[in-house]
Amino acid sequence: MNDKVDFLEKQINSDFSNELSKRFLQYALSTITSRSLPDVRDGLKPVHRRLLYAMNLLSLQPNKSFKKSARVVGDVMGKYHPHGDAAIYDAMVRMAQEFSMNFTLVEGQGNFGNIDGDNAAAMRYTEARMSEVANLMLDGINENAVDFRDTYDGTGKEPVLLPAGFPNLIVNGAQGIAVGMACSIPPHNLNEVCDAALYLIDNRDKNHNELYNIINGPDFPTGGTVIESKDNIIDTYKNGRGSFRLRANWILEKKSSGTWHICINEIPYQVQKSRIIEKIADLILNKKLIMVSDVRDESSEEIRIIIEPKSRNVSPEDIMDTLYQVTDLEIRVQLNLNVLDSDGSPKIMPLNEAIISWIDHRREILIRRSRNSFNKTINRLEILDSFLIVYLNLDEVISIIREEEDPKKKLIMRFKLSENQAVAILDMKLRNLRKLEEQQINQEKVELQNKKSQLEKLLKEKTLQWKKIKNEILNIKKIFKNELNRKTNIENKNIEYSNDISLKIEKEPVTVIVSKKGWIKSLKGHSADLDSIKFKEGDELGLYLFLSSLDDLLLFVENGRFYNIPVYKLPTGRGFGEPLSLVFDDIADEKILFLSDSKNEKLLLVSNDGRGFIVNSHEVISKRRTGKQIMNLKGSNKAISCSPINGDMLAIVGENRKLLIFDVNEIPVLSKGQGVILQRYKDGKCSDVKIISSNEGLFWKMGKDRTRHEKVITTWLGKRGGAGKMPPRGFPKPPKFN
């Protein structure tokens, strides 16, 4: 009964949505701060930090032997990282991949994956140890350089961050996706980052434009070429957000008889080689890469993707320009310098602030290590003083230790020692007594006193601290002097792609078919047998047009919009095609009035309220799926006609059967609008229009195979905006010209 009362007392009445929001926020914060975003100071996420710390405790230094990866993963999972072993091993694998990092943190032995995208072997088959860089990252970990906190189960301690004697964040980069935010930092050149750090030590409060002459851009382990204007690179670094255009590198290899092929020898960062080859092969198979006859992989330790041209008359630059557009041989690499600052809060930093955060961290580490060394030096000097007392009073000290019940207290009183000194004397081994020589003790004491004064000076003077940090940075450059050369080229220019579709698509005749119910497709060849084309039940042929695969199709719809699409993008095959509503937006249930090949011509647009105007076809083209609104329509009005200007007169007839003919030159040329009144109606609306020639007269259909010709048209001639007169005898009902 009491248990039930206690349970009821602990219940809290709360709104479900509030509790859900609260818990989701807790999850989001945990993901951001404890999983996905790196710390700006050491450039590591918790899983990477824990891996390196566990390897250090397992004595997996670069000069020691390898241990099974499973042993490392097991220690990390059991002691520090309460997540699955697969996630821990995946993080460890990436730290060992030379194509993922400029300087690996883990030295792997066995299959740790490859640039083709193949997975690493299972952790029981691979071995690992720390790299030289990891050693630098942990240097000073046991000298009170960083704070420690309880592990997740409270049974041990782990570092909050590492001393980071290497600029890991900027040099190796980082990737992470949190809740509502992400981090993407590409790798950079070590030599440039070190020079930038040295520059910022002396110029942290000045204008940092010079910094961007030191750091030219990202430097990827897989090479390639960054093509971006200098201004764009600087803006990206100053804002902490932006992107870089990264291309594969290639060379031209000449063969006998004047033939040649292209060899791609460097591919973009984190792009799988096998997928590039599959994509190119697929484009060749589907005839979307007509300049290339074959692609093959000749890679061994070095990348060699061979592109064979169809003809030696083709320009290799044109082939590569096309491949850059349609494959991952060119990508955009994002920079989103979203990291945890020194307070543990997520922040998007400019590049200079991120580097300053690292050198400030190094200064903090230097101060903490120096203070720790200073305290140890003082303690050792105190112990040496006690050793001198033993040396000078050896027999008396031995007598006190042998005869007194409380020798520590007696020693303190007799020789005025501190408790630490007394303990040191009592803890001394007998065999060390023979080594006690006054000269050696005094020599060590002098050395320690010199060290103490140097440390005191270092802790007091900021300039000495920065000088020490500079020397550490220069030492990094010295250690890795053979790996300072840039792998990625930088070209500060803007790229304009060739829009020549003929380089990508084979030119062939095509028939474009639009059904009355708004289905569209293209058929190979200029089909003369249109009656054999199949449509859905209840549907039939609406409009058709003979074009080529390289043309653009222009459509005018009764909603007053023009739509444009390359012919090669239209659905093909023997099926019914696709509804226009899937190809374009805002076109559902609208009637298609006109098809054209988008050539430069003048078009007459007419609405059912008798208004119209002329527009140039090149002004109506739009690549947007929503098309381009050219004719503005009021209320329920619709466009009824779009006609090329292939004559000098316009014939217009209303639903009231009044016919008016006037000079086309009376119609204005506009870019868009409602148009002007072409014919006025007392009742009804406009029924049809037709462009005619004054020399040939007026034609109209009388039936399926009969045509009526009225050569003399003076009876219906008038001015634009007139009412018109009744048509000649035999004119169709309802009034239509076709």
Side-chain angles (χ1 to χ4, degrees):
M1 184 66 181
N2 290 335
D3 290 342
K4 186 176 181 181
V5 172
D6 290 343
F7 172 73
L8 292 172
E9 287 177 353
K10 290 178 182 178
Q11 283 185 320
I12 300 172
N13 292 323
S14 178
D15 185 70
F16 180 76
S17 61
N18 289 339
E19 291 299 319
L20 190 63
S21 299
K22 205 183 297 179
R23 280 155 177 74
F24 183 77
L25 182 61
Q26 290 172 350
Y27 163 72
L29 288 172
S30 171
T31 303
I32 291 166
T33 60
S34 302
R35 194 182 304 178
S36 300
L37 298 186
D39 192 292
V40 68
R41 294 165 290 181
D42 62 5
L44 298 174
K45 301 177 193 175
V47 64
H48 303 118
R49 196 175 295 120
R50 288 161 177 166
L51 273 162
L52 294 182
Y53 183 62
M55 293 177 82
N56 183 58
L57 293 182
L58 287 169
S59 297
L60 292 177
Q61 278 74 27
N63 58 347
K64 301 290 180 66
S65 59
F66 291 87
K67 272 191 173 69
K68 286 282 186 185
S69 299
R71 170 70 189 278
V72 178
V73 172
D75 269 24
V76 173
M77 183 170 60
K79 294 180 180 179
Y80 311 111
H81 201 65
H83 298 279
D85 58 344
I88 298 169
Y89 185 53
D90 286 346
M92 183 179 174
V93 164
R94 187 182 182 279
M95 292 164 73
Q97 292 175 337
E98 293 181 351
F99 53 86
S100 294
M101 306 183 81
N102 276 332
F103 293 86
T104 57
L105 298 174
V106 171
E107 190 179 339
Q109 189 166 265
N111 176 16
F112 277 82
N114 57 37
I115 202 166
D116 271 337
D118 296 331
N119 293 327
M123 68 181 87
R124 61 183 179 273
Y125 298 122
T126 61
E127 296 179 333
R129 67 183 177 193
M130 289 159 47
S131 69
E132 190 64 42
V133 173
N135 223 24
L136 285 173
M137 293 291 291
L138 287 153
D139 187 30
I141 192 79
N142 298 320
E143 299 175 30
N144 194 33
V146 293
D147 292 331
F148 280 72
R149 64 185 169 205
D150 290 337
T151 54
Y152 70 93
D153 59 358
T155 59
K157 296 285 184 180
E158 64 172 327
V160 174
L161 73 163
L162 299 187
F166 183 87
N168 180 63
L169 179 71
I170 306 299
V171 173
N172 278 327
Q175 304 284 331
I177 299 174
V179 178
M181 59 180 65
C183 165
S184 178
I185 304 168
H188 288 75
N189 181 262
L190 175 62
N191 190 45
E192 292 178 7
V193 173
C194 287
D195 288 345
L198 293 170
Y199 167 79
L200 287 170
I201 288 173
D202 295 327
N203 303 277
R204 64 188 298 150
D205 298 324
K206 295 182 181 178
N207 190 310
H208 294 141
N209 288 336
E210 183 61 31
L211 175 70
Y212 305 112
N213 292 325
I214 299 172
I215 295 185
N216 298 307
D219 187 25
F220 300 96
T222 52
T225 300
V226 169
I227 300 181
E228 205 69 52
S229 70
K230 187 70 175 178
D231 289 341
N232 286 348
I233 291 174
I234 291 173
D235 286 344
T236 298
Y237 282 144
K238 283 185 175 180
N239 296 326
R241 298 188 73 167
S243 65
F244 306 95
R245 187 197 304 271
L246 178 62
R247 280 184 167 184
N249 285 346
W250 60 279
I251 55 173
L252 188 68
E253 295 183 343
K254 294 187 178 180
K255 303 188 290 185
S256 60
S257 305
T259 58
W260 50 268
H261 63 227
I262 294 168
C263 173
I264 298 167
N265 52 13
E266 291 179 357
I267 61 175
Y269 181 58
Q270 291 188 330
V271 173
Q272 295 176 6
K273 175 165 61 72
S274 57
R275 288 192 180 180
I276 291 175
I277 295 168
E278 287 171 11
K279 178 65 175 178
I280 296 173
D282 185 55
L283 291 169
I284 294 171
L285 189 64
N286 293 324
K287 295 185 178 179
K288 292 183 179 179
L289 199 60
I290 60 171
M291 299 178 293
V292 177
S293 63
D294 190 25
V295 58
R296 62 180 182 272
D297 187 7
E298 295 184 356
S299 304
S300 53
E301 290 184 1
E302 296 181 352
I303 290 174
R304 280 182 59 84
I305 301 173
I306 304 301
I307 307 293
E308 293 283 358
K310 245 180 189 176
S311 166
R312 61 182 175 184
N313 297 323
V314 180
S315 163
E317 288 78 16
D318 285 341
I319 292 178
M320 289 307 300
D321 189 48
T322 303
L323 289 172
Y324 287 143
Q325 294 181 63
V326 298
T327 70
D328 282 344
L329 288 173
E330 177 181 297
I331 60 172
R332 299 294 302 191
V333 178
Q334 299 298 319
L335 171 73
N336 185 10
L337 232 165
N338 191 5
V339 290
L340 300 177
D341 62 16
S342 56
D343 297 325
S345 303
K347 181 182 180 182
I348 296 175
M349 293 185 178
L351 181 65
N352 62 295
E353 189 178 340
I355 298 175
I356 286 172
S357 296
W358 176 67
I359 59 177
D360 284 346
H361 174 60
R362 289 303 299 157
R363 178 169 172 261
E364 178 66 24
I365 296 299
L366 175 64
I367 291 170
R368 291 186 60 154
R369 290 181 70 182
S370 299
R371 190 172 288 125
N372 182 70
S373 181
F374 179 75
N375 292 334
K376 284 185 175 180
T377 302
I378 291 174
N379 290 337
R380 181 61 180 170
L381 284 169
E382 191 178 24
I383 300 301
L384 288 177
D385 287 338
S386 69
F387 286 173
L388 282 173
I389 291 170
V390 172
Y391 176 75
L392 295 173
N393 302 278
L394 186 58
D395 292 336
E396 187 177 355
V397 168
I398 293 172
S399 176
I400 290 172
I401 293 172
R402 289 180 63 187
E403 297 173 3
E404 293 293 330
E405 290 186 10
D406 189 354
K408 183 171 77 170
K409 186 176 180 181
K410 183 66 176 178
L411 286 170
I412 291 172
M413 290 177 62
R414 171 65 182 86
F415 299 108
K416 298 181 180 178
L417 302 177
S418 68
E419 189 168 340
N420 286 339
Q421 288 176 318
V423 170
I425 292 170
L426 292 171
D427 288 343
M428 187 185 297
K429 294 179 181 179
L430 286 173
R431 66 184 176 202
N432 290 340
L433 292 175
R434 64 181 179 84
K435 294 181 180 179
L436 283 178
E437 293 183 12
E438 186 178 14
Q439 188 177 353
Q440 289 180 348
I441 294 171
N442 285 328
Q443 185 179 347
E444 185 182 353
K445 189 173 179 181
V446 169
E447 291 173 358
L448 288 175
Q449 284 172 339
N450 290 334
K451 183 179 179 181
K452 176 189 170 187
S453 62
Q454 289 174 3
L455 289 170
E456 276 182 322
K457 195 173 181 182
L458 181 64
L459 288 167
K460 286 178 182 177
E461 295 186 24
K462 200 172 181 180
T463 52
L464 285 178
Q465 295 166 10
W466 286 122
K467 185 178 179 181
K468 178 82 171 173
I469 291 166
K470 280 184 178 180
N471 289 334
E472 289 175 352
I473 293 171
L474 290 170
N475 188 51
I476 293 171
K477 293 178 68 172
K478 187 177 179 181
I479 294 171
F480 301 103
K481 62 183 178 182
N482 297 326
E483 301 173 66
L484 297 180
N485 292 335
R486 194 171 241 292
K487 302 181 186 75
T488 301
N489 303 321
I490 304 290
E491 292 186 14
N492 297 130
K493 62 182 182 180
N494 291 316
I495 294 296
E496 290 186 8
Y497 289 118
S498 168
N499 292 320
D500 189 357
I501 298 298
S502 63
L503 298 174
K504 308 171 192 173
I505 304 298
E506 190 172 1
K507 186 174 182 178
E508 55 186 358
V510 171
T511 302
V512 176
I513 306 292
V514 178
S515 75
K516 286 192 174 179
K517 288 191 174 181
W519 285 66
I520 190 168
K521 66 178 178 178
S522 65
L523 302 173
K524 286 187 178 180
H526 288 168
S527 178
D529 187 14
L530 296 174
D531 293 334
S532 64
I533 298 173
K534 293 182 179 180
F535 297 94
K536 280 182 169 287
E537 187 176 347
D539 201 1
E540 59 183 319
L541 179 65
L543 299 171
Y544 70 91
L545 190 64
F546 295 144
L547 299 172
S548 87
S549 56
L550 300 182
D551 287 333
D552 278 1
L553 175 67
L554 186 68
L555 301 89
F556 182 66
V557 185
E558 62 180 357
N559 61 6
R561 287 180 177 270
F562 278 94
Y563 296 86
N564 183 260
I565 188 173
V567 170
Y568 71 87
K569 288 188 176 180
L570 292 173
T572 59
R574 297 182 179 180
F576 301 122
E578 288 183 4
L580 281 162
S581 57
L582 293 181
V583 181
F584 303 109
D585 294 338
D586 303 329
I587 202 173
D589 302 325
E590 302 285 355
K591 183 180 178 183
I592 310 301
L593 301 176
F594 177 72
L595 300 179
S596 172
D597 58 0
S598 299
K599 288 181 180 174
N600 193 10
E601 58 185 344
K602 293 192 175 194
L603 303 172
L604 172 66
L605 309 184
V606 181
S607 62
N608 62 355
D609 63 347
R611 290 178 174 271
F613 61 94
I614 296 171
V615 66
N616 290 310
S617 63
H618 67 267
E619 293 183 350
V620 304
I621 294 172
S622 171
K623 300 296 182 184
R624 292 176 297 183
R625 282 176 56 92
T626 53
K628 192 172 185 180
Q629 187 76 47
I630 298 298
M631 190 167 212
N632 297 330
L633 302 165
K634 286 189 174 181
S636 60
N637 289 335
K638 298 280 187 183
I640 61 166
S641 176
C642 176
S643 312
I645 305 296
N646 51 14
D648 60 342
M649 306 295 285
L650 171 66
I652 181 168
V653 62
E655 292 175 349
N656 59 4
R657 293 183 59 78
K658 294 287 185 75
L659 174 64
L660 175 66
I661 301 175
F662 60 87
D663 197 321
V664 168
N665 291 327
E666 295 184 43
I667 307 172
V669 178
L670 305 174
S671 59
K672 64 190 304 186
Q674 292 184 52
V676 295
I677 296 174
L678 304 178
Q679 186 180 21
R680 298 181 187 275
Y681 313 102
K682 187 176 180 181
D683 299 308
K685 292 182 177 289
C686 180
S687 179
D688 200 7
V689 296
K690 187 174 185 180
I691 301 294
I692 65 172
S693 171
S694 55
N695 295 328
E696 296 178 358
L698 185 63
F699 294 83
W700 67 85
K701 285 187 178 180
M702 295 291 292
K704 195 169 184 181
D705 300 318
R706 291 175 55 212
T707 302
R708 172 83 179 268
H709 182 201
E710 189 73 33
K711 192 165 185 180
V712 181
I713 58 175
T714 53
T715 304
W716 300 278
L717 288 177
K719 293 289 184 182
R720 176 182 64 79
K725 297 181 180 179
M726 295 302 291
R729 212 175 272 180
F731 198 78
K733 293 181 182 180
K736 295 283 184 183
F737 294 110
N738 293 320

